[in-house]
């Protein structure tokens, strides 16, 4: 059991790239720590250190910030942040096109602003005249809220990224359109990693939402996963990527709400006598190539992991095992009830008709080039943006210190062209 947990946990770190980087960690703090005991420490699960919220971090740079509570059709309440205009432009009375940005797995809205006012896309978008909204998936620090179910209740955690797309993203889009007050009918979208998966899930299962999208920018798009080049997923997928007793043990639980736990885990994984040294070197490698903005990595380490349901990971492992991009596998019996079929249905990605830009790279072990190209073949209205840097990996889309030049400016240019602003 403890060993299985270690394996899943390390998959989290690898999935989230450089954010789990143990850089600067004084490992003597954890000398002699027992991993299983750490996991069982009830205080560990409840403690959330007082910390700055996304809106505090935004206003610290002089920008206006708002926090909105957005109800979903199934009762969750999403914490949605907004930079409504730029204090530099004083453009609050002007037309400001809406942009919605959605973070990756176990992340939160803080990840987008960690690069600071000169390099982070939300600030650059505000300065380009946009109305910027930063989403949070159900279950993370800002979206642990429901109209009737407590987060302590196991039912709260019965969701995968399908529900984040189908309910949360849909609700955020409609809420931003309504609240902006300028009679806009559609938005621009930017997602990273799981933020791309949820978009694809929503647009294929509720195709009427395609009309509400002007341009969508999928950074490191994750849909098909069978070429995913992760030691971790290959090791654990055969056990947890199928509906069986292993998977049942882990299904529908809150996962990873707090950092010290992860730091302890990293320490244990990287000990000289650990069987998991290989995994350790994977995230050391991704964090020590020297191209991440270290202050951004530090902010991300303070805010991430922000809390997820185990089903989000199980669903990804299912994709990696099946080679399909499809709905959650509940096992044959419940699949008949949910889907009227023994196996879950594929997402009909051919129904995603909105303008979709795929930003991808050769060195991304989560969004493998072959899997991205396979997704692209199914999309009727896409544009491909291949990163030239051969070392560019999954985390670089978020924290590379040249993200402004290679990601932000090209994206803003495409949005500006759509808006007729040059
Ligand atoms: C890293 O981010 C900080 C803001 O968090 C910024 O001030 C700094 O210029 C960035 N450094 C590089 C090398 O991009
Ligand atoms: C939950 O949502 C309500 C609004 O429906 C809000 O007033 C409350 O502050 C939220 N609680 C948390 C913990 O976010
Ligand atoms: C880490 O990087 C080193 C040097 O580039 C390489 O030899 C090693 O195979 C890498 N390890 C993993 C697990 O990727």
């Amino acid at each position: 059991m403890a060993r299985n947990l270690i394996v899943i946990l390390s998959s989290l770190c690898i999935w989230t790239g450089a954010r789990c980087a143990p850089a600067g960690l004084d490992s003597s703090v954890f000398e002699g720590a027992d991993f299983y005991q750490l996991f069982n420490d009830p205080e560990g699960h409840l403690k959330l250190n007082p910390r700055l919220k996304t809106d505090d971090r935004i206003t610290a740079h002089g920008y206006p910030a708002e926090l909105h509570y957005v109800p979903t059709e199934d009762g969750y309440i999403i914490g949605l942040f907004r930079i409504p205009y730029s204090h530099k432009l004083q453009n609050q009375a002007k037309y400001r096109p809406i942009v919605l940005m959605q973070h990756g797995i176990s992340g939160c809205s803080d990840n987008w602003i960690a690069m600071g006012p000169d390099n982070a896309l939300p600030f650059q978008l505000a300065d380009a005249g946009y109305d910027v909204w930063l989403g949070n998936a159900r279950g993370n620090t800002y979206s642990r809220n429901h109209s009737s179910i407590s987060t302590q209740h196991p039912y709260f955690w019965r969701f995968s990224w399908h529900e984040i797309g189908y309910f949360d993203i849909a609700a955020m889009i409609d809420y931003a359109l309504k609240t902006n007050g300028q009679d806009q009918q559609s938005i621009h979208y930017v997602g990273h990693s799981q933020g791309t998966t949820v978009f694809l899930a929503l647009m294929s299962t509720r195709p009427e939402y395609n009309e509400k999208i002007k341009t969508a920018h999928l950074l490191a798009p994750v849909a098909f996963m069978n070429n995913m080049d992760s030691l971790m997923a290959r090791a654990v997928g055969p056990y947890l990527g199928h509906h069986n007793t292993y998977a049942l043990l882990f299904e529908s639980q809150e996962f990873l709400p707090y950092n010290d736990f992860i730091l302890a885990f990293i320490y244990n994984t990287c000990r000289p006598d650990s069987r998991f040294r290989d995994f350790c070197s994977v995230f050391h490698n991704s964090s020590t190539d020297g191209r991440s903005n270290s202050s951004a990595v530090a902010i991300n380490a303070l805010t991430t992991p922000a809390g997820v349901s185990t089903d989000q990971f199980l669903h990804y492992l299912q994709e990696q095992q099946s080679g399909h991009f499809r709905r959650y596998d509940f096992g044959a019996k419940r699949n008949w009830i949910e889907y009227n079929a023994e196996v879950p249905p594929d997402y009909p990605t051919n129904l995603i008709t909105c303008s979709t830009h795929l930003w991808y790279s050769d060195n991304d072990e989560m969004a493998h080039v072959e899997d991205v190209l396979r997704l692209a073949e199914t999309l009727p209205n896409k544009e491909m943006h291949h990163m030239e840097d051969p070392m560019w990996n999954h985390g670089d889309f978020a924290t590379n210190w040249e993200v402004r030049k290679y990601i932000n400016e090209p994206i803003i240019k495409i949005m500006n062209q759509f808006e007729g602003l040059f």
Side-chain angles (χ1 to χ4, degrees):
M1 177 89 170
R3 195 164 295 152
N4 280 349
L5 284 167
I6 292 177
V7 170
I8 298 195
L9 281 169
S10 49
S11 80
L12 174 92
C13 280
I14 291 166
W15 245 301
T16 53
R19 281 186 233 145
C20 294
L25 172 67
D26 176 12
S27 53
S28 66
V29 173
F30 298 105
E31 199 65 71
D34 176 79
F35 176 77
Y36 191 66
Q37 250 174 17
L38 276 160
F39 182 76
N40 266 353
D41 174 5
E43 220 200 332
H45 290 268
L46 301 175
K47 192 173 90 190
L48 271 180
N49 296 324
R51 61 183 225 197
L52 296 175
K53 302 202 309 308
T54 302
D55 47 353
D56 302 322
R57 294 179 192 282
I58 294 169
T59 51
H61 294 301
Y63 290 79
E66 299 170 3
L67 167 56
H68 296 262
Y69 295 108
V70 180
T72 69
E73 285 162 41
D74 60 343
Y76 288 79
I77 298 166
I78 300 302
L80 181 59
F81 290 97
R82 180 190 192 192
I83 309 175
Y85 61 90
S86 167
H87 62 305
K88 296 177 191 161
L89 303 177
Q90 289 298 324
N91 58 333
Q92 50 270 50
K94 297 225 177 79
Y95 173 71
R96 291 162 289 112
I98 299 167
V99 185
L100 172 64
M101 303 182 63
Q102 183 64 22
H103 61 78
I105 194 162
S106 93
C108 65
S109 46
D110 291 284
N111 302 143
W112 289 116
I113 56 172
M115 300 288 275
D118 295 332
N119 295 291
L121 185 52
F123 296 119
Q124 286 196 264
L125 281 166
D127 289 343
Y130 289 81
D131 178 10
V132 183
W133 297 76
L134 305 173
N136 282 295
R138 59 182 59 191
N140 88 4
T141 326
Y142 300 115
S143 297
R144 296 165 56 86
N145 206 350
H146 192 282
S147 57
S148 60
I149 308 173
S150 151
T151 56
Q152 307 292 323
H153 197 286
Y155 284 4
F156 182 91
W157 299 99
R158 279 192 180 171
F159 60 83
S160 168
W161 38 256
H162 174 78
E163 286 74 20
I164 295 170
Y166 192 92
F167 293 114
D168 302 355
I169 301 294
M172 292 186 234
I173 292 173
D174 291 331
Y175 185 93
L177 286 171
K178 191 182 74 189
T179 309
N180 163 278
Q182 297 181 321
D183 201 27
Q184 296 181 30
Q185 306 298 316
S186 48
I187 68 159
H188 297 280
Y189 183 89
V190 182
H192 178 224
S193 191
Q194 183 191 256
T196 71
T197 316
V198 296
F199 179 83
L200 297 165
L202 170 63
M203 293 301 148
S204 57
T205 52
R206 301 175 92 170
E208 64 276 18
Y209 273 84
N210 283 281
E211 280 171 28
K212 303 187 185 190
I213 302 298
K214 292 169 171 171
T215 67
H217 301 271
L218 308 189
L219 309 177
V222 179
F224 299 107
M225 299 186 78
N226 46 314
N227 286 297
M228 181 169 67
D229 192 17
S230 156
L231 265 175
M232 218 3 281
R234 265 185 269 136
V236 76
Y239 299 98
L240 293 174
H242 302 273
H243 195 85
N244 56 26
T245 40
Y246 285 106
L248 276 173
L249 268 178
F250 293 107
E251 214 166 49
S252 305
Q253 295 165 39
E254 179 179 18
F255 198 41
L256 295 171
Y258 116 101
N259 284 310
D260 300 0
F261 178 55
I262 275 291
L263 294 181
F265 153 72
I266 289 168
Y267 169 69
N268 282 316
T269 307
C270 297
R271 272 154 64 146
D273 59 348
S274 164
R275 312 174 43 205
F276 300 103
R277 290 281 299 171
D278 277 356
F279 305 147
C280 182
S281 79
V282 170
F283 55 72
H284 266 299
N285 276 10
S286 69
S287 61
T288 54
D289 53 13
R291 301 175 317 149
S292 276
N293 180 315
S294 52
S295 41
V297 170
I299 290 179
N300 284 333
L302 278 175
T303 57
T304 308
V308 292
S309 164
T310 46
D311 293 359
Q312 293 166 245
F313 285 100
L314 294 177
H315 198 171
Y316 274 137
L317 288 172
Q318 291 175 1
E319 311 283 75
Q320 185 256 343
Q321 288 293 302
S322 72
H324 287 259
F325 179 43
R326 67 186 185 190
R327 299 282 300 276
Y328 193 86
D329 188 352
F330 295 100
K333 203 171 145 202
R334 194 166 146 207
N335 286 345
W336 278 110
I337 299 167
E338 299 281 337
Y339 310 127
N340 202 23
E342 186 173 333
V343 294
D346 289 330
Y347 285 104
T349 46
N350 59 311
L351 301 182
I352 305 176
T353 52
C354 65
S355 165
T356 307
H357 294 256
L358 303 180
W359 302 78
Y360 67 107
S361 64
D362 293 332
N363 192 32
D364 187 338
E365 56 192 17
M366 295 301 118
H368 191 279
V369 175
E370 280 178 41
D371 293 336
V372 174
L373 295 178
R374 186 174 157 208
L375 166 69
E377 267 176 38
T378 71
L379 298 175
N381 186 6
K382 79 268 177 178
E383 208 162 302
M384 306 301 282
H385 303 270
H386 177 250
M387 305 306 294
E388 274 173 29
D389 181 347
M391 293 304 292
W392 196 276
N393 71 24
H394 205 67
D396 280 305
F397 287 98
T399 52
N400 185 286
W401 58 284
E402 291 195 293
V403 79
R404 176 176 178 132
K405 176 174 165 197
Y406 290 110
I407 301 287
N408 300 0
E409 284 170 1
I411 286 180
I412 292 172
K413 194 170 163 207
I414 293 167
M415 292 182 185
N416 281 350
Q417 273 165 358
F418 184 97
E419 298 292 339
L421 307 162
F422 290 96

